Amino acid sequence: MDSYSKNKISVECYNEIFYQLKNDIKTLYNCTFVNRFFCRLATPLLWGTPFEHINLENPKSPLIINTYVSSLVDEDKSFLRLTGIPLELPEATFFYYPEFLKSFNSQVFQILIERWLILMEPYNYYVNYQDKLVYSTYLVSNLLFASTNKLESLNYFRLSSHDRMFFINHKEFVYSISHLVNLEITYFAGANNPNIQEDENNLNNLFDTLSHYTFSIRYVKINISSNYIASFTSRFIESIFNFIAHQYKLEALSFNESLIFENLFEFEEIIKSQETNLRHLTIGGKLKNFSRIVKVLRNCSNLESLIFEGKKGSIIEEDNWGYYDVKMREIPIIEEIDFNKLKIRKIYCIEDCVSVDDVDDGYSNYMYDEQQQEEFETTGGDSSISDDMVTLGLKKILLMTSANLRTLNLGKINTFIITILREYCYELTNLSCEISIKDFWSFTKLLEVLSGLEHLELKLELKLELSSMLNDNYIVTFTNSLPNSLQKLGLNIYSDEDEFITYFLMKLLENMGYNKLFELYFCNEKMIRNENLRLILQFALNRIRYYGNDVRNFKFKYVIGNFNQDFDQALLQNGRECMDIIREEISDRYK
């Protein structure tokens, strides 16, 4: 065997190498110019997900549609010309690109079609525009779904009555989705919609088709709503249930608020149909509206993450709540049942778990009393708090997850929840929450038992009239309660006086050991003060003196909302000499 044969790389190895580059579009594009062999390996990957990596800001992005149009048969090209689209006769393509399609996003596709029409005829595109849009959308989308049998991801968006995706009714559509893995449907039925019956029929047909021709979907996200038509989703919830029940490998489910809210009983049946497969569950809306899910979650033995995507400040209309409240009362919201232990490792719920009365009590004539805190913990908290549906629902979930829980992301929490965490969820490695000053002492007690905590993000609002309660002893106690395992610490501190934030930070860093902490970050603009950065800089320098190792082993991150508020540039430059400094925009951090 000659040396060439010994060192020759097999085609399978090349396939694996290029597959690892599937998200590196620039490298794949460059590979197409190396030789024909590399071109044949890179092109299917590039054209497998053309709508995922496209830069819509690039004026050349609509040329993707032009490439697809070149694959149309002559009859279809002639039809487009008859509508007024001045098609040029492109050279024959080296590949038949539609057959490579693995991922389709209807929203991006529609945008590209519209921009392609403008690109083709920038000055007269508006002439007969609707016909041009309809026919080009119809012909190109049908071409794609008639050509591919490898589709793995389908993102279908219909946000207005003008979004008409004809491909769903194409005769080849059922074959193109037979290997579907990822499905996302976003469908909005707007006000004064004269085609509501058509919408209902389309959705029922879509889910019925999915039920008959897909069996191996793993990830499903459904967001269907209407702000005008009462109980719109109840018209096709049975079709959704049948579709979900026919999937044998389903791992992740995500539903929007109104879809669940209008169909609580059906939603329970959907969860039951996948209780052994389900690993990730995302629920739109707030925890207090879905406390009943606790009952159906008890048999989801492989559930790993539970996410409530309710946004702070969102308001449920009073009329809607009255309707749903009556429906929910038909069965007790939280039943006295035996709860199985679950494998949930991650819970995300940004909703506050503190009732309005509890918050008011905490900020009106409150006198901090350590003995009172201890009595509160001993008795398990005030009954009015424990009766709150948010707190009670969260308590049940925490009891089911207990020692398996590793990541917990919450809004405001009270001593009642803190006590539950301390007694049952002591294996947490990632914790994000907001506490009030009156719960500060109890929170330090929780930290003392979280011996494996690696990442803590804490929001603390320090009102001026209460700031005197948080004296040096409490700040030092909090600092000493931070476990040696802590690697990342995020501070989200608000105060009426910026000087108190600086004072809190100074006492914290003065008493903090170095241990494993390698990242400190600020989560709000109120903390962007040069005095605070100087404290961080001194802390980093002390670490260098303590460890005597690479100065880049410590990171400082902060977020800004606008570029008018930032640290002094000279101070930042000095800081970068002894630590990594990373700036993020709020829009990037919380998008």
Short mmCIF file of all heavy atoms in Angstrom, two decimals, residues 372-393:
data_model
loop_
_atom_site.label_atom_id
_atom_site.label_comp_id
_atom_site.label_asym_id
_atom_site.label_seq_id
_atom_site.Cartn_x
_atom_site.Cartn_y
_atom_site.Cartn_z
N GLN A 372 -38.03 37.91 64.76
CA GLN A 372 -39.28 37.75 64.00
C GLN A 372 -39.06 36.89 62.77
O GLN A 372 -39.90 36.06 62.42
CB GLN A 372 -39.81 39.13 63.61
CG GLN A 372 -41.11 39.08 62.82
CD GLN A 372 -41.56 40.45 62.40
OE1 GLN A 372 -40.95 41.45 62.76
NE2 GLN A 372 -42.63 40.49 61.64
N GLN A 373 -37.91 37.06 62.11
CA GLN A 373 -37.59 36.25 60.94
C GLN A 373 -37.50 34.78 61.31
O GLN A 373 -38.01 33.91 60.61
CB GLN A 373 -36.28 36.73 60.31
CG GLN A 373 -36.37 38.07 59.61
CD GLN A 373 -37.26 38.00 58.39
OE1 GLN A 373 -37.17 37.08 57.60
NE2 GLN A 373 -38.13 38.98 58.24
N GLU A 374 -36.84 34.50 62.42
CA GLU A 374 -36.68 33.11 62.84
C GLU A 374 -38.02 32.48 63.19
O GLU A 374 -38.29 31.32 62.88
CB GLU A 374 -35.72 33.05 64.03
CG GLU A 374 -34.29 33.44 63.66
CD GLU A 374 -33.37 33.42 64.86
OE1 GLU A 374 -33.88 33.27 65.98
OE2 GLU A 374 -32.14 33.57 64.66
N GLU A 375 -38.91 33.26 63.84
CA GLU A 375 -40.24 32.74 64.15
C GLU A 375 -41.03 32.49 62.87
O GLU A 375 -41.76 31.50 62.76
CB GLU A 375 -40.98 33.75 65.04
CG GLU A 375 -40.38 33.87 66.45
CD GLU A 375 -41.08 34.95 67.25
OE1 GLU A 375 -41.96 35.63 66.68
OE2 GLU A 375 -40.75 35.09 68.45
N PHE A 376 -40.87 33.37 61.90
CA PHE A 376 -41.55 33.21 60.61
C PHE A 376 -41.14 31.91 59.95
O PHE A 376 -41.96 31.15 59.46
CB PHE A 376 -41.22 34.40 59.71
CG PHE A 376 -42.00 34.42 58.43
CD1 PHE A 376 -43.14 35.19 58.31
CD2 PHE A 376 -41.60 33.66 57.33
CE1 PHE A 376 -43.86 35.22 57.13
CE2 PHE A 376 -42.31 33.68 56.16
CZ PHE A 376 -43.45 34.46 56.07
N GLU A 377 -39.83 31.64 59.97
CA GLU A 377 -39.34 30.43 59.33
C GLU A 377 -39.82 29.19 60.08
O GLU A 377 -40.13 28.16 59.49
CB GLU A 377 -37.81 30.47 59.28
CG GLU A 377 -37.29 31.60 58.42
CD GLU A 377 -35.80 31.85 58.64
OE1 GLU A 377 -35.15 30.94 59.19
OE2 GLU A 377 -35.30 32.92 58.27
N THR A 378 -39.88 29.27 61.40
CA THR A 378 -40.29 28.12 62.21
C THR A 378 -41.74 27.76 61.95
O THR A 378 -42.11 26.58 61.84
CB THR A 378 -40.09 28.42 63.71
OG1 THR A 378 -38.72 28.75 63.92
CG2 THR A 378 -40.48 27.23 64.55
N THR A 379 -42.59 28.78 61.81
CA THR A 379 -44.03 28.53 61.61
C THR A 379 -44.37 28.29 60.16
O THR A 379 -45.50 27.93 59.83
CB THR A 379 -44.84 29.73 62.11
OG1 THR A 379 -44.43 30.90 61.38
CG2 THR A 379 -44.62 29.96 63.59
N GLY A 380 -43.39 28.47 59.27
CA GLY A 380 -43.65 28.22 57.85
C GLY A 380 -44.25 29.40 57.13
O GLY A 380 -44.67 29.30 55.99
N GLY A 381 -44.30 30.58 57.80
CA GLY A 381 -44.78 31.77 57.11
C GLY A 381 -46.22 32.07 57.39
O GLY A 381 -46.98 31.24 57.90
N ASP A 382 -46.60 33.26 57.10
CA ASP A 382 -47.97 33.71 57.30
C ASP A 382 -48.92 32.96 56.39
O ASP A 382 -48.63 32.70 55.24
CB ASP A 382 -48.05 35.22 57.01
CG ASP A 382 -49.42 35.77 57.34
OD1 ASP A 382 -49.64 36.14 58.51
OD2 ASP A 382 -50.25 35.82 56.43
N SER A 383 -50.09 32.59 56.89
CA SER A 383 -51.03 31.78 56.11
C SER A 383 -51.53 32.52 54.89
O SER A 383 -51.82 31.89 53.87
CB SER A 383 -52.21 31.37 56.99
OG SER A 383 -52.88 32.53 57.47
N SER A 384 -51.60 33.86 54.98
CA SER A 384 -52.09 34.60 53.82
C SER A 384 -51.14 34.49 52.65
O SER A 384 -51.54 34.53 51.51
CB SER A 384 -52.28 36.08 54.19
OG SER A 384 -51.04 36.66 54.55
N ILE A 385 -49.84 34.34 52.97
CA ILE A 385 -48.86 34.18 51.91
C ILE A 385 -48.96 32.78 51.32
O ILE A 385 -48.97 32.58 50.12
CB ILE A 385 -47.44 34.44 52.44
CG1 ILE A 385 -47.33 35.89 52.93
CG2 ILE A 385 -46.39 34.17 51.39
CD1 ILE A 385 -46.00 36.22 53.56
N SER A 386 -49.03 31.78 52.20
CA SER A 386 -49.04 30.40 51.71
C SER A 386 -50.31 30.09 50.94
O SER A 386 -50.32 29.17 50.13
CB SER A 386 -48.90 29.43 52.89
OG SER A 386 -50.00 29.56 53.78
N ASP A 387 -51.36 30.87 51.17
CA ASP A 387 -52.59 30.64 50.43
C ASP A 387 -52.56 31.26 49.04
O ASP A 387 -53.41 30.99 48.22
CB ASP A 387 -53.79 31.21 51.21
CG ASP A 387 -54.14 30.35 52.42
OD1 ASP A 387 -53.71 29.18 52.42
OD2 ASP A 387 -54.79 30.85 53.34
N ASP A 388 -51.60 32.13 48.78
CA ASP A 388 -51.49 32.76 47.48
C ASP A 388 -51.24 31.69 46.42
O ASP A 388 -50.38 30.83 46.58
CB ASP A 388 -50.36 33.78 47.49
CG ASP A 388 -50.22 34.46 46.15
OD1 ASP A 388 -50.98 35.39 45.86
OD2 ASP A 388 -49.33 34.03 45.39
N MET A 389 -51.96 31.77 45.29
CA MET A 389 -51.89 30.70 44.31
C MET A 389 -50.52 30.58 43.67
O MET A 389 -50.06 29.49 43.35
CB MET A 389 -52.95 30.93 43.23
CG MET A 389 -54.38 30.72 43.71
SD MET A 389 -54.59 29.20 44.65
CE MET A 389 -53.99 28.00 43.48
N VAL A 390 -49.85 31.71 43.47
CA VAL A 390 -48.52 31.66 42.87
C VAL A 390 -47.57 30.93 43.81
O VAL A 390 -46.84 30.02 43.41
CB VAL A 390 -47.99 33.08 42.58
CG1 VAL A 390 -46.57 33.02 42.05
CG2 VAL A 390 -48.90 33.78 41.59
N THR A 391 -47.59 31.35 45.07
CA THR A 391 -46.69 30.74 46.05
C THR A 391 -47.00 29.27 46.24
O THR A 391 -46.09 28.43 46.28
CB THR A 391 -46.82 31.49 47.40
OG1 THR A 391 -46.59 32.87 47.19
CG2 THR A 391 -45.83 30.95 48.40
N LEU A 392 -48.28 28.94 46.34
CA LEU A 392 -48.67 27.55 46.55
C LEU A 392 -48.31 26.68 45.36
O LEU A 392 -47.81 25.56 45.51
CB LEU A 392 -50.17 27.46 46.85
CG LEU A 392 -50.70 26.07 47.23
CD1 LEU A 392 -49.96 25.53 48.43
CD2 LEU A 392 -52.19 26.14 47.50
N GLY A 393 -48.57 27.18 44.16
CA GLY A 393 -48.23 26.41 42.96
C GLY A 393 -46.73 26.17 42.86
O GLY A 393 -46.29 25.07 42.55
#
